[in-house]
PDB file of all heavy atoms in Angstrom:
ATOM      1  N   ILE A 244     -18.843 -14.490 -43.255  1.00 95.00           N
ATOM      2  CA  ILE A 244     -20.217 -14.734 -42.790  1.00 95.00           C
ATOM      3  C   ILE A 244     -20.935 -13.425 -42.563  1.00 95.00           C
ATOM      4  O   ILE A 244     -20.467 -12.534 -41.945  1.00 95.00           O
ATOM      5  CB  ILE A 244     -19.991 -15.467 -41.390  1.00 95.00           C
ATOM      6  CG1 ILE A 244     -19.280 -16.736 -41.544  1.00 95.00           C
ATOM      7  CG2 ILE A 244     -21.530 -15.755 -40.782  1.00 95.00           C
ATOM      8  CD1 ILE A 244     -18.935 -17.416 -40.207  1.00 95.00           C
ATOM      9  N   VAL A 289     -21.463 -17.268 -46.336  1.00 96.00           N
ATOM     10  CA  VAL A 289     -22.504 -17.852 -45.540  1.00 96.00           C
ATOM     11  C   VAL A 289     -23.401 -16.544 -45.214  1.00 96.00           C
ATOM     12  O   VAL A 289     -22.798 -15.616 -44.751  1.00 96.00           O
ATOM     13  CB  VAL A 289     -21.900 -18.524 -44.344  1.00 96.00           C
ATOM     14  CG1 VAL A 289     -23.100 -18.854 -43.295  1.00 96.00           C
ATOM     15  CG2 VAL A 289     -21.166 -19.693 -44.653  1.00 96.00           C
ATOM     16  N   VAL A 291     -26.535 -15.655 -42.502  1.00 91.00           N
ATOM     17  CA  VAL A 291     -27.220 -16.046 -41.383  1.00 91.00           C
ATOM     18  C   VAL A 291     -28.296 -15.033 -41.066  1.00 91.00           C
ATOM     19  O   VAL A 291     -28.157 -13.825 -41.282  1.00 91.00           O
ATOM     20  CB  VAL A 291     -26.276 -16.292 -40.202  1.00 91.00           C
ATOM     21  CG1 VAL A 291     -25.347 -17.495 -40.450  1.00 91.00           C
ATOM     22  CG2 VAL A 291     -25.654 -15.054 -39.736  1.00 91.00           C
ATOM     23  N   TYR A 293     -29.277 -14.884 -37.646  1.00 84.00           N
ATOM     24  CA  TYR A 293     -28.869 -14.485 -36.355  1.00 84.00           C
ATOM     25  C   TYR A 293     -27.457 -14.986 -36.164  1.00 84.00           C
ATOM     26  O   TYR A 293     -27.056 -16.061 -36.559  1.00 84.00           O
ATOM     27  CB  TYR A 293     -29.879 -15.110 -35.280  1.00 84.00           C
ATOM     28  CG  TYR A 293     -31.285 -14.723 -35.465  1.00 84.00           C
ATOM     29  CD1 TYR A 293     -32.167 -15.446 -36.114  1.00 84.00           C
ATOM     30  CD2 TYR A 293     -31.621 -13.401 -35.067  1.00 84.00           C
ATOM     31  CE1 TYR A 293     -33.490 -15.036 -36.259  1.00 84.00           C
ATOM     32  CE2 TYR A 293     -32.982 -12.964 -35.233  1.00 84.00           C
ATOM     33  CZ  TYR A 293     -33.893 -13.807 -35.852  1.00 84.00           C
ATOM     34  OH  TYR A 293     -35.159 -13.383 -36.067  1.00 84.00           O
ATOM     35  N   TRP A 294     -26.690 -14.129 -35.282  1.00 88.00           N
ATOM     36  CA  TRP A 294     -25.278 -14.585 -35.111  1.00 88.00           C
ATOM     37  C   TRP A 294     -25.240 -15.791 -34.217  1.00 88.00           C
ATOM     38  O   TRP A 294     -24.211 -16.514 -34.301  1.00 88.00           O
ATOM     39  CB  TRP A 294     -24.554 -13.404 -34.459  1.00 88.00           C
ATOM     40  CG  TRP A 294     -24.302 -12.296 -35.362  1.00 88.00           C
ATOM     41  CD1 TRP A 294     -24.771 -11.048 -35.198  1.00 88.00           C
ATOM     42  CD2 TRP A 294     -23.467 -12.313 -36.473  1.00 88.00           C
ATOM     43  NE1 TRP A 294     -24.341 -10.278 -36.278  1.00 88.00           N
ATOM     44  CE2 TRP A 294     -23.611 -10.982 -37.112  1.00 88.00           C
ATOM     45  CE3 TRP A 294     -22.810 -13.231 -37.199  1.00 88.00           C
ATOM     46  CZ2 TRP A 294     -22.906 -10.645 -38.246  1.00 88.00           C
ATOM     47  CZ3 TRP A 294     -22.151 -12.894 -38.345  1.00 88.00           C
ATOM     48  CH2 TRP A 294     -22.185 -11.610 -38.860  1.00 88.00           C
ATOM     49  N   SER A 295     -26.246 -16.163 -33.598  1.00 93.00           N
ATOM     50  CA  SER A 295     -26.342 -17.422 -32.749  1.00 93.00           C
ATOM     51  C   SER A 295     -26.264 -18.635 -33.734  1.00 93.00           C
ATOM     52  O   SER A 295     -26.017 -19.688 -33.171  1.00 93.00           O
ATOM     53  CB  SER A 295     -27.538 -17.452 -31.886  1.00 93.00           C
ATOM     54  OG  SER A 295     -28.763 -17.454 -32.679  1.00 93.00           O
ATOM     55  N   GLU A 296     -26.469 -18.527 -34.986  1.00 95.00           N
ATOM     56  CA  GLU A 296     -26.371 -19.597 -35.976  1.00 95.00           C
ATOM     57  C   GLU A 296     -24.806 -19.995 -36.158  1.00 95.00           C
ATOM     58  O   GLU A 296     -24.595 -20.985 -36.734  1.00 95.00           O
ATOM     59  CB  GLU A 296     -26.956 -19.276 -37.297  1.00 95.00           C
ATOM     60  CG  GLU A 296     -28.498 -19.034 -37.245  1.00 95.00           C
ATOM     61  CD  GLU A 296     -29.053 -18.629 -38.507  1.00 95.00           C
ATOM     62  OE1 GLU A 296     -28.822 -19.265 -39.541  1.00 95.00           O
ATOM     63  OE2 GLU A 296     -29.773 -17.516 -38.483  1.00 95.00           O
ATOM     64  N   VAL A 297     -24.004 -19.103 -35.771  1.00 97.00           N
ATOM     65  CA  VAL A 297     -22.504 -19.334 -35.980  1.00 97.00           C
ATOM     66  C   VAL A 297     -22.046 -20.231 -34.833  1.00 97.00           C
ATOM     67  O   VAL A 297     -21.749 -19.734 -33.597  1.00 97.00           O
ATOM     68  CB  VAL A 297     -21.660 -18.040 -36.120  1.00 97.00           C
ATOM     69  CG1 VAL A 297     -20.231 -18.362 -36.277  1.00 97.00           C
ATOM     70  CG2 VAL A 297     -22.333 -17.217 -37.256  1.00 97.00           C
ATOM     71  N   THR A 298     -22.055 -21.553 -34.927  1.00 98.00           N
ATOM     72  CA  THR A 298     -21.568 -22.444 -33.965  1.00 98.00           C
ATOM     73  C   THR A 298     -20.456 -23.282 -34.512  1.00 98.00           C
ATOM     74  O   THR A 298     -20.167 -23.234 -35.649  1.00 98.00           O
ATOM     75  CB  THR A 298     -22.861 -23.469 -33.634  1.00 98.00           C
ATOM     76  OG1 THR A 298     -23.092 -24.283 -34.791  1.00 98.00           O
ATOM     77  CG2 THR A 298     -24.057 -22.724 -33.093  1.00 98.00           C
ATOM     78  N   ALA A 299     -19.719 -23.928 -33.651  1.00 98.00           N
ATOM     79  CA  ALA A 299     -18.616 -24.817 -34.017  1.00 98.00           C
ATOM     80  C   ALA A 299     -19.106 -25.856 -35.152  1.00 98.00           C
ATOM     81  O   ALA A 299     -18.358 -26.077 -36.013  1.00 98.00           O
ATOM     82  CB  ALA A 299     -17.971 -25.470 -32.809  1.00 98.00           C
ATOM     83  N   ALA A 300     -20.207 -26.501 -34.859  1.00 98.00           N
ATOM     84  CA  ALA A 300     -20.651 -27.373 -35.813  1.00 98.00           C
ATOM     85  C   ALA A 300     -20.950 -26.852 -37.231  1.00 98.00           C
ATOM     86  O   ALA A 300     -20.595 -27.366 -38.290  1.00 98.00           O
ATOM     87  CB  ALA A 300     -21.990 -28.067 -35.346  1.00 98.00           C
ATOM     88  N   ASN A 301     -21.713 -25.641 -37.196  1.00 98.00           N
ATOM     89  CA  ASN A 301     -21.952 -25.001 -38.466  1.00 98.00           C
ATOM     90  C   ASN A 301     -20.721 -24.518 -39.216  1.00 98.00           C
ATOM     91  O   ASN A 301     -20.539 -24.556 -40.385  1.00 98.00           O
ATOM     92  CB  ASN A 301     -22.862 -23.840 -38.316  1.00 98.00           C
ATOM     93  CG  ASN A 301     -24.292 -24.303 -38.149  1.00 98.00           C
ATOM     94  OD1 ASN A 301     -24.687 -25.380 -38.576  1.00 98.00           O
ATOM     95  ND2 ASN A 301     -25.152 -23.431 -37.600  1.00 98.00           N
ATOM     96  N   LEU A 302     -19.702 -23.982 -38.334  1.00 98.00           N
ATOM     97  CA  LEU A 302     -18.450 -23.540 -38.921  1.00 98.00           C
ATOM     98  C   LEU A 302     -17.778 -24.692 -39.668  1.00 98.00           C
ATOM     99  O   LEU A 302     -17.175 -24.508 -40.747  1.00 98.00           O
ATOM    100  CB  LEU A 302     -17.534 -22.883 -37.921  1.00 98.00           C
ATOM    101  CG  LEU A 302     -17.926 -21.575 -37.295  1.00 98.00           C
ATOM    102  CD1 LEU A 302     -17.088 -21.157 -36.134  1.00 98.00           C
ATOM    103  CD2 LEU A 302     -17.843 -20.494 -38.386  1.00 98.00           C
ATOM    104  N   SER A 303     -17.752 -25.878 -38.905  1.00 98.00           N
ATOM    105  CA  SER A 303     -17.148 -26.957 -39.643  1.00 98.00           C
ATOM    106  C   SER A 303     -17.900 -27.391 -40.926  1.00 98.00           C
ATOM    107  O   SER A 303     -17.182 -27.656 -41.963  1.00 98.00           O
ATOM    108  CB  SER A 303     -17.083 -28.190 -38.760  1.00 98.00           C
ATOM    109  OG  SER A 303     -16.302 -27.973 -37.503  1.00 98.00           O
ATOM    110  N   ARG A 304     -19.150 -27.391 -40.914  1.00 98.00           N
ATOM    111  CA  ARG A 304     -19.851 -27.748 -42.056  1.00 98.00           C
ATOM    112  C   ARG A 304     -19.676 -26.736 -43.190  1.00 98.00           C
ATOM    113  O   ARG A 304     -19.475 -27.130 -44.324  1.00 98.00           O
ATOM    114  CB  ARG A 304     -21.361 -27.861 -41.675  1.00 98.00           C
ATOM    115  CG  ARG A 304     -22.281 -28.287 -42.803  1.00 98.00           C
ATOM    116  CD  ARG A 304     -23.610 -28.433 -42.399  1.00 98.00           C
ATOM    117  NE  ARG A 304     -24.282 -27.440 -41.707  1.00 98.00           N
ATOM    118  CZ  ARG A 304     -24.892 -26.255 -42.287  1.00 98.00           C
ATOM    119  NH1 ARG A 304     -25.007 -26.225 -43.513  1.00 98.00           N
ATOM    120  NH2 ARG A 304     -25.431 -25.313 -41.485  1.00 98.00           N
ATOM    121  N   TRP A 305     -19.765 -25.458 -42.914  1.00 98.00           N
ATOM    122  CA  TRP A 305     -19.583 -24.494 -43.882  1.00 98.00           C
ATOM    123  C   TRP A 305     -18.220 -24.565 -44.544  1.00 98.00           C
ATOM    124  O   TRP A 305     -18.134 -24.388 -45.749  1.00 98.00           O
ATOM    125  CB  TRP A 305     -19.873 -23.081 -43.309  1.00 98.00           C
ATOM    126  CG  TRP A 305     -21.181 -22.803 -42.924  1.00 98.00           C
ATOM    127  CD1 TRP A 305     -22.384 -23.298 -43.481  1.00 98.00           C
ATOM    128  CD2 TRP A 305     -21.650 -21.968 -41.784  1.00 98.00           C
ATOM    129  NE1 TRP A 305     -23.507 -22.871 -42.817  1.00 98.00           N
ATOM    130  CE2 TRP A 305     -23.070 -22.003 -41.833  1.00 98.00           C
ATOM    131  CE3 TRP A 305     -20.988 -21.211 -40.926  1.00 98.00           C
ATOM    132  CZ2 TRP A 305     -23.915 -21.323 -40.839  1.00 98.00           C
ATOM    133  CZ3 TRP A 305     -21.729 -20.458 -39.987  1.00 98.00           C
ATOM    134  CH2 TRP A 305     -23.172 -20.604 -39.988  1.00 98.00           C
ATOM    135  N   TRP A 306     -17.185 -24.790 -43.663  1.00 97.00           N
ATOM    136  CA  TRP A 306     -15.853 -24.880 -44.193  1.00 97.00           C
ATOM    137  C   TRP A 306     -15.686 -26.185 -45.168  1.00 97.00           C
ATOM    138  O   TRP A 306     -15.174 -25.999 -46.251  1.00 97.00           O
ATOM    139  CB  TRP A 306     -14.869 -25.003 -43.040  1.00 97.00           C
ATOM    140  CG  TRP A 306     -13.453 -25.077 -43.580  1.00 97.00           C
ATOM    141  CD1 TRP A 306     -12.537 -26.181 -43.629  1.00 97.00           C
ATOM    142  CD2 TRP A 306     -12.615 -24.026 -44.285  1.00 97.00           C
ATOM    143  NE1 TRP A 306     -11.436 -25.884 -44.226  1.00 97.00           N
ATOM    144  CE2 TRP A 306     -11.423 -24.558 -44.624  1.00 97.00           C
ATOM    145  CE3 TRP A 306     -12.848 -22.690 -44.408  1.00 97.00           C
ATOM    146  CZ2 TRP A 306     -10.401 -23.828 -45.255  1.00 97.00           C
ATOM    147  CZ3 TRP A 306     -11.959 -21.949 -45.108  1.00 97.00           C
ATOM    148  CH2 TRP A 306     -10.693 -22.552 -45.415  1.00 97.00           C
TER     149      TRP A 306
END
Side-chain angles (χ1 to χ4, degrees):
I244 301 173
V289 172
V291 297
Y293 300 100
W294 290 117
S295 60
E296 295 174 55
V297 181
T298 63
N301 280 340
L302 288 171
S303 295
R304 182 174 51 86
W305 294 328
W306 181 257

